[in-house]
Amino acid sequence: MTVRTRFAPSPTGYLHIGGVRTALFNWLLARQSGGQFILRIDDTDTERNIDSALQPILDGFKWLGIDWDEGPEVGGIHQPYFQSQRLSCYQAATQRLLESGKAYRDYATPQEVAQEREAAEREKRDFVYSRRWMAETEETCQKFEAEGRSFVVRLKMPREGTCNIEDLVRGEVSFDWDREQDHVIQRADGTCLYHLANVVDDHDFEITHVIRAVEHLSNTPRQIFIAESLGYQLPSYAHIPFVAEPGSKNKLSKRKIEQYMKNHDFKKLFDHGVAIANRIDLEVVPSSFNPVLVDFYRDIGFLPDAIVNYLLLVGWSLDDKTEDFSRQQMTDLFSLDRVVKSEASFDPEKLLVFQQRYMNELPLKQKVVRCLPFLQRAGLVGPSIECEMGPYLSSIIDAADDRITVAGDILQFDDFFIPDEKLQYDSKAFQKRLVKPENAGYLLDLFKGELAQQDDFKADPLNALLHHFCESQGIKIGQIIHGLRVAVTGKAAGFGMFETLEILGRERCIHRIERALEHLHGAAE
RNA sequence: GGCCCCUUCGUCUAGUGGUCUAGGACUCCGGCCUUUCACGCCGGCAACACGGGUUCGAGUCCCGUAGGGGUCACCA
């Protein structure tokens, strides 16, 4: 039997990071055994524009490298994969349920059911529908219809015994049938509800393993009832813990971003993103620019592999030390029995660590490819990059080394792309390193003269040059190097000073120092 | 509230009765390196929710308590 798993997103316009984790586990299980991973669209309740709400989700999966064998865009032998187009399947199933007496027409109005529910609450007993408006014969149907009533279809749930679920993650879990309600499976207008659709589709698509978040565990008995009533063979169930908020055990929610901002690490991640977004004219709105959603990561230059590797480890582990997994390794080694039972909080800091690791391992060429679009979007580099820009960009990214965590971080080194005349000085740094030290200007001016005579403008010789200079002046290198950095980059911090000088080249270094000196004298007057 | 699930360092986790005076990773705190920032290196702090059993022996099994979460829709 080949393993067939599925993920069933609703077209909401965004891809939730917790959803990705669930999809990932499904995908992994299918891939490791040469099975199929299916994407099915749960759009039974939405009347919005499906295309525009679905595309971001499909794009998200594609970006992450989670591909599907059947579903939107790729089709498949079981199509359609949109629930909104499968109504007839559900109606046929409902009909069979009705015929076998596992479901019934119910002519109660919502108000009448609500009244029963309230009465039960008042009397402090569990609510069980009286089935007062249940119609199992043509006569009763006609009687109720004569009263002007319309019907919904309800499940006729067992009222005794237990439902045992053999869960691949949790072991055996049992529920008493008498706690279950006669759930509605079809509305008065003939449209169907989630649970029925879900069970019918899983069967039609020949899903062998239903891997989903724990919040569905309590819903499983009714689905089992439907499946068994229809004579379906039950899939295996695995209820995995959901991804929780940072620092709590609540389910991570897209809407609670305001609250998450109180979490230091979450805010740090968000602010990191905002700094990049502001430079590339990206709208910072919670509906897409939100660390709970995948778009956020793509937009600021995360690596899909880093995210997938991180997500793999929230709720699953191989052993007590292995953390890095290639796609191949994770598909080979993943197993449901090593899924943890308790909910795991999303840890932005740890995600960043994976990102950093993957970014550092990326070949320089790849880094350049990832960073370039950010420079272009920030208007620092033209749309068609000139030939000489390639090596120039490479040298910067090479020198920046691990300081580039996400591709968008290249913008921290914007000073290499700004014309000398437009270089902005960090005012605090300028004050501290150039204005305040008495002889900073003097030393810088002197050293500028040395630079002007330096022919071999490479990091090592420049290093030697500055050291000799310091010796001859009887100063420590710290007395000049900071001011030099501020003068040529405008910033207090950056990568190696001598690499910086080399990359900038002699003319620009001198020009920038002159400009800084002018600025300094201007400030003094 | 009923039912169901969960509970090891701040976080992610290892641990399937003795090798656990509980291991790893991230964070944090020291120190080293150093021209800044970052990296790196070394070291350190830090957890079995609680109470009863069972057992020679319990983080590991059982029961209870507490806490957390989920679910009880003509939502998905």
Side-chain angles (χ1 to χ4, degrees), chain A residues 277-302:
Chain A
N278 287 341
R279 298 294 304 272
I280 58 174
D281 257 339
L282 189 70
E283 222 188 338
V284 178
V285 290
S287 60
S288 63
F289 198 80
N290 179 337
V292 172
L293 311 177
V294 192
D295 283 8
F296 174 88
Y297 301 95
R298 187 183 47 195
D299 289 346
I300 68 173
F302 266 74

PDB file of all heavy atoms in Angstrom, chain A residues 277-302:
ATOM      1  N   ALA A 277      12.231  45.991   5.016  1.00  0.00           N
ATOM      2  CA  ALA A 277      11.024  46.374   4.271  1.00  0.00           C
ATOM      3  C   ALA A 277      11.010  47.865   3.956  1.00  0.00           C
ATOM      4  O   ALA A 277      10.657  48.279   2.849  1.00  0.00           O
ATOM      5  CB  ALA A 277       9.781  45.988   5.061  1.00  0.00           C
ATOM      6  N   ASN A 278      11.419  48.651   4.920  1.00  0.00           N
ATOM      7  CA  ASN A 278      11.416  50.098   4.718  1.00  0.00           C
ATOM      8  C   ASN A 278      12.344  50.541   3.599  1.00  0.00           C
ATOM      9  O   ASN A 278      12.117  51.555   2.952  1.00  0.00           O
ATOM     10  CB  ASN A 278      11.822  50.818   6.016  1.00  0.00           C
ATOM     11  CG  ASN A 278      10.718  50.761   7.050  1.00  0.00           C
ATOM     12  OD1 ASN A 278       9.557  50.519   6.720  1.00  0.00           O
ATOM     13  ND2 ASN A 278      11.079  50.973   8.306  1.00  0.00           N
ATOM     14  N   ARG A 279      13.365  49.772   3.362  1.00  0.00           N
ATOM     15  CA  ARG A 279      14.323  50.130   2.323  1.00  0.00           C
ATOM     16  C   ARG A 279      13.866  49.697   0.934  1.00  0.00           C
ATOM     17  O   ARG A 279      14.348  50.203  -0.072  1.00  0.00           O
ATOM     18  CB  ARG A 279      15.688  49.489   2.618  1.00  0.00           C
ATOM     19  CG  ARG A 279      16.334  49.939   3.928  1.00  0.00           C
ATOM     20  CD  ARG A 279      16.710  51.416   3.890  1.00  0.00           C
ATOM     21  NE  ARG A 279      17.571  51.733   2.765  1.00  0.00           N
ATOM     22  CZ  ARG A 279      18.901  51.650   2.794  1.00  0.00           C
ATOM     23  NH1 ARG A 279      19.512  51.291   3.900  1.00  0.00           N
ATOM     24  NH2 ARG A 279      19.624  51.940   1.736  1.00  0.00           N
ATOM     25  N   ILE A 280      12.994  48.738   0.882  1.00  0.00           N
ATOM     26  CA  ILE A 280      12.608  48.231  -0.440  1.00  0.00           C
ATOM     27  C   ILE A 280      11.151  48.516  -0.766  1.00  0.00           C
ATOM     28  O   ILE A 280      10.544  47.870  -1.622  1.00  0.00           O
ATOM     29  CB  ILE A 280      12.877  46.702  -0.557  1.00  0.00           C
ATOM     30  CG1 ILE A 280      12.108  45.929   0.530  1.00  0.00           C
ATOM     31  CG2 ILE A 280      14.355  46.415  -0.468  1.00  0.00           C
ATOM     32  CD1 ILE A 280      12.212  44.428   0.373  1.00  0.00           C
ATOM     33  N   ASP A 281      10.590  49.481  -0.039  1.00  0.00           N
ATOM     34  CA  ASP A 281       9.226  49.902  -0.351  1.00  0.00           C
ATOM     35  C   ASP A 281       8.222  48.783  -0.198  1.00  0.00           C
ATOM     36  O   ASP A 281       7.305  48.638  -0.994  1.00  0.00           O
ATOM     37  CB  ASP A 281       9.144  50.427  -1.797  1.00  0.00           C
ATOM     38  CG  ASP A 281       9.095  51.942  -1.789  1.00  0.00           C
ATOM     39  OD1 ASP A 281       8.729  52.504  -0.738  1.00  0.00           O
ATOM     40  OD2 ASP A 281       9.440  52.538  -2.822  1.00  0.00           O
ATOM     41  N   LEU A 282       8.413  47.986   0.823  1.00  0.00           N
ATOM     42  CA  LEU A 282       7.482  46.889   1.055  1.00  0.00           C
ATOM     43  C   LEU A 282       6.508  47.335   2.122  1.00  0.00           C
ATOM     44  O   LEU A 282       6.904  47.871   3.149  1.00  0.00           O
ATOM     45  CB  LEU A 282       8.258  45.666   1.534  1.00  0.00           C
ATOM     46  CG  LEU A 282       7.487  44.365   1.621  1.00  0.00           C
ATOM     47  CD1 LEU A 282       7.152  43.846   0.233  1.00  0.00           C
ATOM     48  CD2 LEU A 282       8.301  43.338   2.380  1.00  0.00           C
ATOM     49  N   GLU A 283       5.243  47.106   1.843  1.00  0.00           N
ATOM     50  CA  GLU A 283       4.223  47.531   2.778  1.00  0.00           C
ATOM     51  C   GLU A 283       4.272  46.680   4.049  1.00  0.00           C
ATOM     52  O   GLU A 283       4.249  45.463   3.978  1.00  0.00           O
ATOM     53  CB  GLU A 283       2.850  47.384   2.119  1.00  0.00           C
ATOM     54  CG  GLU A 283       1.940  48.552   2.399  1.00  0.00           C
ATOM     55  CD  GLU A 283       0.533  48.258   1.896  1.00  0.00           C
ATOM     56  OE1 GLU A 283       0.382  47.391   1.003  1.00  0.00           O
ATOM     57  OE2 GLU A 283      -0.392  48.878   2.411  1.00  0.00           O
ATOM     58  N   VAL A 284       4.324  47.340   5.168  1.00  0.00           N
ATOM     59  CA  VAL A 284       4.377  46.612   6.438  1.00  0.00           C
ATOM     60  C   VAL A 284       2.961  46.519   7.016  1.00  0.00           C
ATOM     61  O   VAL A 284       2.562  47.300   7.851  1.00  0.00           O
ATOM     62  CB  VAL A 284       5.326  47.303   7.431  1.00  0.00           C
ATOM     63  CG1 VAL A 284       5.337  46.577   8.771  1.00  0.00           C
ATOM     64  CG2 VAL A 284       6.737  47.331   6.867  1.00  0.00           C
ATOM     65  N   VAL A 285       2.221  45.546   6.494  1.00  0.00           N
ATOM     66  CA  VAL A 285       0.857  45.340   6.991  1.00  0.00           C
ATOM     67  C   VAL A 285       0.748  43.930   7.564  1.00  0.00           C
ATOM     68  O   VAL A 285       1.315  42.991   7.011  1.00  0.00           O
ATOM     69  CB  VAL A 285      -0.193  45.520   5.868  1.00  0.00           C
ATOM     70  CG1 VAL A 285      -0.278  46.976   5.460  1.00  0.00           C
ATOM     71  CG2 VAL A 285       0.152  44.663   4.661  1.00  0.00           C
ATOM     72  N   PRO A 286       0.018  43.787   8.665  1.00  0.00           N
ATOM     73  CA  PRO A 286      -0.065  42.490   9.351  1.00  0.00           C
ATOM     74  C   PRO A 286      -0.636  41.359   8.492  1.00  0.00           C
ATOM     75  O   PRO A 286      -0.400  40.197   8.768  1.00  0.00           O
ATOM     76  CB  PRO A 286      -0.997  42.758  10.534  1.00  0.00           C
ATOM     77  CG  PRO A 286      -1.028  44.232  10.691  1.00  0.00           C
ATOM     78  CD  PRO A 286      -0.741  44.817   9.349  1.00  0.00           C
ATOM     79  N   SER A 287      -1.376  41.703   7.432  1.00  0.00           N
ATOM     80  CA  SER A 287      -1.979  40.647   6.631  1.00  0.00           C
ATOM     81  C   SER A 287      -0.951  39.866   5.818  1.00  0.00           C
ATOM     82  O   SER A 287      -1.220  38.763   5.373  1.00  0.00           O
ATOM     83  CB  SER A 287      -3.033  41.229   5.694  1.00  0.00           C
ATOM     84  OG  SER A 287      -2.443  42.168   4.841  1.00  0.00           O
ATOM     85  N   SER A 288       0.219  40.424   5.625  1.00  0.00           N
ATOM     86  CA  SER A 288       1.242  39.661   4.917  1.00  0.00           C
ATOM     87  C   SER A 288       2.606  39.803   5.581  1.00  0.00           C
ATOM     88  O   SER A 288       3.368  38.843   5.669  1.00  0.00           O
ATOM     89  CB  SER A 288       1.328  40.112   3.462  1.00  0.00           C
ATOM     90  OG  SER A 288       1.723  41.462   3.397  1.00  0.00           O
ATOM     91  N   PHE A 289       2.898  41.000   6.059  1.00  0.00           N
ATOM     92  CA  PHE A 289       4.205  41.197   6.688  1.00  0.00           C
ATOM     93  C   PHE A 289       4.079  40.874   8.167  1.00  0.00           C
ATOM     94  O   PHE A 289       3.851  41.748   8.997  1.00  0.00           O
ATOM     95  CB  PHE A 289       4.673  42.639   6.478  1.00  0.00           C
ATOM     96  CG  PHE A 289       6.146  42.799   6.708  1.00  0.00           C
ATOM     97  CD1 PHE A 289       7.049  42.439   5.725  1.00  0.00           C
ATOM     98  CD2 PHE A 289       6.622  43.283   7.912  1.00  0.00           C
ATOM     99  CE1 PHE A 289       8.415  42.566   5.940  1.00  0.00           C
ATOM    100  CE2 PHE A 289       7.983  43.413   8.145  1.00  0.00           C
ATOM    101  CZ  PHE A 289       8.884  43.058   7.151  1.00  0.00           C
ATOM    102  N   ASN A 290       4.210  39.596   8.463  1.00  0.00           N
ATOM    103  CA  ASN A 290       3.889  39.098   9.792  1.00  0.00           C
ATOM    104  C   ASN A 290       4.672  37.799   9.998  1.00  0.00           C
ATOM    105  O   ASN A 290       4.516  36.853   9.232  1.00  0.00           O
ATOM    106  CB  ASN A 290       2.369  38.837   9.808  1.00  0.00           C
ATOM    107  CG  ASN A 290       1.872  38.286  11.121  1.00  0.00           C
ATOM    108  OD1 ASN A 290       2.616  37.698  11.899  1.00  0.00           O
ATOM    109  ND2 ASN A 290       0.595  38.467  11.358  1.00  0.00           N
ATOM    110  N   PRO A 291       5.519  37.750  11.002  1.00  0.00           N
ATOM    111  CA  PRO A 291       6.367  36.565  11.197  1.00  0.00           C
ATOM    112  C   PRO A 291       5.599  35.259  11.430  1.00  0.00           C
ATOM    113  O   PRO A 291       6.211  34.197  11.468  1.00  0.00           O
ATOM    114  CB  PRO A 291       7.184  36.914  12.449  1.00  0.00           C
ATOM    115  CG  PRO A 291       7.177  38.392  12.516  1.00  0.00           C
ATOM    116  CD  PRO A 291       5.834  38.811  11.972  1.00  0.00           C
ATOM    117  N   VAL A 292       4.297  35.348  11.562  1.00  0.00           N
ATOM    118  CA  VAL A 292       3.508  34.122  11.685  1.00  0.00           C
ATOM    119  C   VAL A 292       3.282  33.538  10.282  1.00  0.00           C
ATOM    120  O   VAL A 292       2.972  32.374  10.133  1.00  0.00           O
ATOM    121  CB  VAL A 292       2.164  34.406  12.389  1.00  0.00           C
ATOM    122  CG1 VAL A 292       1.240  33.203  12.359  1.00  0.00           C
ATOM    123  CG2 VAL A 292       2.416  34.842  13.835  1.00  0.00           C
ATOM    124  N   LEU A 293       3.452  34.376   9.274  1.00  0.00           N
ATOM    125  CA  LEU A 293       3.185  33.957   7.898  1.00  0.00           C
ATOM    126  C   LEU A 293       4.469  33.792   7.084  1.00  0.00           C
ATOM    127  O   LEU A 293       5.446  34.496   7.293  1.00  0.00           O
ATOM    128  CB  LEU A 293       2.287  34.996   7.227  1.00  0.00           C
ATOM    129  CG  LEU A 293       1.051  35.394   8.042  1.00  0.00           C
ATOM    130  CD1 LEU A 293       0.282  36.479   7.316  1.00  0.00           C
ATOM    131  CD2 LEU A 293       0.174  34.181   8.306  1.00  0.00           C
ATOM    132  N   VAL A 294       4.410  32.882   6.145  1.00  0.00           N
ATOM    133  CA  VAL A 294       5.596  32.565   5.355  1.00  0.00           C
ATOM    134  C   VAL A 294       6.087  33.723   4.500  1.00  0.00           C
ATOM    135  O   VAL A 294       7.283  33.894   4.314  1.00  0.00           O
ATOM    136  CB  VAL A 294       5.318  31.359   4.434  1.00  0.00           C
ATOM    137  CG1 VAL A 294       6.597  30.849   3.837  1.00  0.00           C
ATOM    138  CG2 VAL A 294       4.648  30.257   5.198  1.00  0.00           C
ATOM    139  N   ASP A 295       5.159  34.528   3.996  1.00  0.00           N
ATOM    140  CA  ASP A 295       5.549  35.643   3.134  1.00  0.00           C
ATOM    141  C   ASP A 295       6.608  36.530   3.772  1.00  0.00           C
ATOM    142  O   ASP A 295       7.520  37.011   3.095  1.00  0.00           O
ATOM    143  CB  ASP A 295       4.324  36.526   2.817  1.00  0.00           C
ATOM    144  CG  ASP A 295       3.443  35.868   1.773  1.00  0.00           C
ATOM    145  OD1 ASP A 295       3.707  34.699   1.439  1.00  0.00           O
ATOM    146  OD2 ASP A 295       2.493  36.520   1.293  1.00  0.00           O
ATOM    147  N   PHE A 296       6.461  36.731   5.046  1.00  0.00           N
ATOM    148  CA  PHE A 296       7.413  37.570   5.779  1.00  0.00           C
ATOM    149  C   PHE A 296       8.842  37.136   5.515  1.00  0.00           C
ATOM    150  O   PHE A 296       9.716  37.943   5.209  1.00  0.00           O
ATOM    151  CB  PHE A 296       7.100  37.484   7.278  1.00  0.00           C
ATOM    152  CG  PHE A 296       8.093  38.188   8.166  1.00  0.00           C
ATOM    153  CD1 PHE A 296       7.938  39.535   8.465  1.00  0.00           C
ATOM    154  CD2 PHE A 296       9.172  37.499   8.708  1.00  0.00           C
ATOM    155  CE1 PHE A 296       8.845  40.188   9.286  1.00  0.00           C
ATOM    156  CE2 PHE A 296      10.089  38.150   9.526  1.00  0.00           C
ATOM    157  CZ  PHE A 296       9.929  39.487   9.815  1.00  0.00           C
ATOM    158  N   TYR A 297       9.069  35.859   5.615  1.00  0.00           N
ATOM    159  CA  TYR A 297      10.418  35.319   5.494  1.00  0.00           C
ATOM    160  C   TYR A 297      10.948  35.414   4.071  1.00  0.00           C
ATOM    161  O   TYR A 297      12.115  35.694   3.843  1.00  0.00           O
ATOM    162  CB  TYR A 297      10.451  33.878   6.006  1.00  0.00           C
ATOM    163  CG  TYR A 297      10.001  33.816   7.446  1.00  0.00           C
ATOM    164  CD1 TYR A 297       8.677  33.533   7.778  1.00  0.00           C
ATOM    165  CD2 TYR A 297      10.877  34.133   8.466  1.00  0.00           C
ATOM    166  CE1 TYR A 297       8.258  33.535   9.101  1.00  0.00           C
ATOM    167  CE2 TYR A 297      10.475  34.142   9.787  1.00  0.00           C
ATOM    168  CZ  TYR A 297       9.156  33.840  10.098  1.00  0.00           C
ATOM    169  OH  TYR A 297       8.746  33.868  11.397  1.00  0.00           O
ATOM    170  N   ARG A 298      10.057  35.156   3.145  1.00  0.00           N
ATOM    171  CA  ARG A 298      10.470  35.254   1.754  1.00  0.00           C
ATOM    172  C   ARG A 298      10.816  36.693   1.418  1.00  0.00           C
ATOM    173  O   ARG A 298      11.807  36.974   0.767  1.00  0.00           O
ATOM    174  CB  ARG A 298       9.345  34.763   0.835  1.00  0.00           C
ATOM    175  CG  ARG A 298       9.784  34.677  -0.617  1.00  0.00           C
ATOM    176  CD  ARG A 298       8.652  34.255  -1.514  1.00  0.00           C
ATOM    177  NE  ARG A 298       7.443  35.020  -1.219  1.00  0.00           N
ATOM    178  CZ  ARG A 298       6.239  34.699  -1.620  1.00  0.00           C
ATOM    179  NH1 ARG A 298       6.052  33.621  -2.331  1.00  0.00           N
ATOM    180  NH2 ARG A 298       5.198  35.446  -1.312  1.00  0.00           N
ATOM    181  N   ASP A 299       9.992  37.612   1.917  1.00  0.00           N
ATOM    182  CA  ASP A 299      10.170  39.016   1.585  1.00  0.00           C
ATOM    183  C   ASP A 299      11.474  39.629   2.089  1.00  0.00           C
ATOM    184  O   ASP A 299      11.976  40.572   1.508  1.00  0.00           O
ATOM    185  CB  ASP A 299       8.992  39.835   2.126  1.00  0.00           C
ATOM    186  CG  ASP A 299       7.713  39.566   1.338  1.00  0.00           C
ATOM    187  OD1 ASP A 299       7.817  38.971   0.247  1.00  0.00           O
ATOM    188  OD2 ASP A 299       6.632  39.946   1.821  1.00  0.00           O
ATOM    189  N   ILE A 300      11.981  39.124   3.194  1.00  0.00           N
ATOM    190  CA  ILE A 300      13.207  39.743   3.700  1.00  0.00           C
ATOM    191  C   ILE A 300      14.456  38.903   3.437  1.00  0.00           C
ATOM    192  O   ILE A 300      15.539  39.234   3.889  1.00  0.00           O
ATOM    193  CB  ILE A 300      13.108  40.088   5.197  1.00  0.00           C
ATOM    194  CG1 ILE A 300      13.040  38.839   6.071  1.00  0.00           C
ATOM    195  CG2 ILE A 300      11.899  40.987   5.453  1.00  0.00           C
ATOM    196  CD1 ILE A 300      13.102  39.168   7.553  1.00  0.00           C
ATOM    197  N   GLY A 301      14.253  37.809   2.690  1.00  0.00           N
ATOM    198  CA  GLY A 301      15.434  37.075   2.235  1.00  0.00           C
ATOM    199  C   GLY A 301      15.868  35.897   3.081  1.00  0.00           C
ATOM    200  O   GLY A 301      17.056  35.593   3.156  1.00  0.00           O
ATOM    201  N   PHE A 302      14.914  35.214   3.680  1.00  0.00           N
ATOM    202  CA  PHE A 302      15.250  33.967   4.360  1.00  0.00           C
ATOM    203  C   PHE A 302      15.468  32.882   3.322  1.00  0.00           C
ATOM    204  O   PHE A 302      15.024  32.996   2.179  1.00  0.00           O
ATOM    205  CB  PHE A 302      14.100  33.527   5.283  1.00  0.00           C
ATOM    206  CG  PHE A 302      14.251  33.987   6.713  1.00  0.00           C
ATOM    207  CD1 PHE A 302      14.035  35.315   7.040  1.00  0.00           C
ATOM    208  CD2 PHE A 302      14.584  33.091   7.719  1.00  0.00           C
ATOM    209  CE1 PHE A 302      14.164  35.755   8.356  1.00  0.00           C
ATOM    210  CE2 PHE A 302      14.715  33.521   9.040  1.00  0.00           C
ATOM    211  CZ  PHE A 302      14.503  34.847   9.352  1.00  0.00           C
TER     212      PHE A 302
END
